[in-house]
Amino acid sequence: QVQLVESGGGVVQAGGSLRLSCAASGRTASTYCVGWFRQAPGKEREFVAGINRIVLATHYGDSVKGRFTISIDNAKNTVYLQMNSLKPEDTAVYYCAVRNGQDPRPPYNYWGQGTQVTVSS
């Protein structure tokens, strides 16, 4: 089993920045990719970004390209999501996830509990 713990969510004004963290533990050896998803009330879960922790290949959802950056510290088993130029429509619960495949695009297999991000206008 893999355990994922997200942190760093909060309330920020539009145009501001936040950095989310996802700490992974447990059986992480076969989990090549780590990703971020988000889900706003009444909407489907949306892919935000993913990274292959070995070759550091990344992939982003269209709505966040140029504003969000995913990175990883393998020594700490932690993935970060730097979110800049935040908009009210970025408000959602953000989830960390991992997958066994090497492509950072969905689908993903295991999920964290999520952290709330609220962007005020």
Side-chain angles (χ1 to χ4, degrees), residues 34-102:
V34 184
W36 286 96
F37 290 73
R38 66 186 183 186
Q39 188 166 21
K43 294 188 177 181
E44 293 186 355
R45 189 172 292 184
E46 176 189 15
F47 172 75
V48 175
I51 186 168
N52 179 306
R53 64 185 186 86
I54 307 301
V55 300
L56 304 183
T58 59
H59 189 75
Y60 293 91
D62 288 341
S63 61
V64 306
K65 283 180 181 177
R67 299 189 298 125
F68 291 11
T69 302
I70 189 170
S71 62
I72 189 166
D73 185 335
N74 279 312
K76 297 181 179 179
N77 266 350
T78 300
V79 170
Y80 304 97
L81 184 68
Q82 178 66 43
M83 306 186 294
N84 297 330
S85 302
L86 282 162
K87 306 174 183 179
E89 50 263 46
D90 294 318
T91 295
V93 177
Y94 283 70
Y95 297 91
C96 176
V98 296
R99 70 182 302 249
N100 298 332
Q102 299 189 31

Side-chain angles (χ1 to χ4, degrees), residues 5-33:
V5 179
E6 303 97 333
S7 61
V11 180
V12 63
Q13 288 190 333
S17 299
L18 277 177
R19 189 177 79 158
L20 305 183
S21 299
C22 172
S25 61
R27 301 177 65 178
T28 61
S30 61
T31 56
Y32 290 99
C33 293

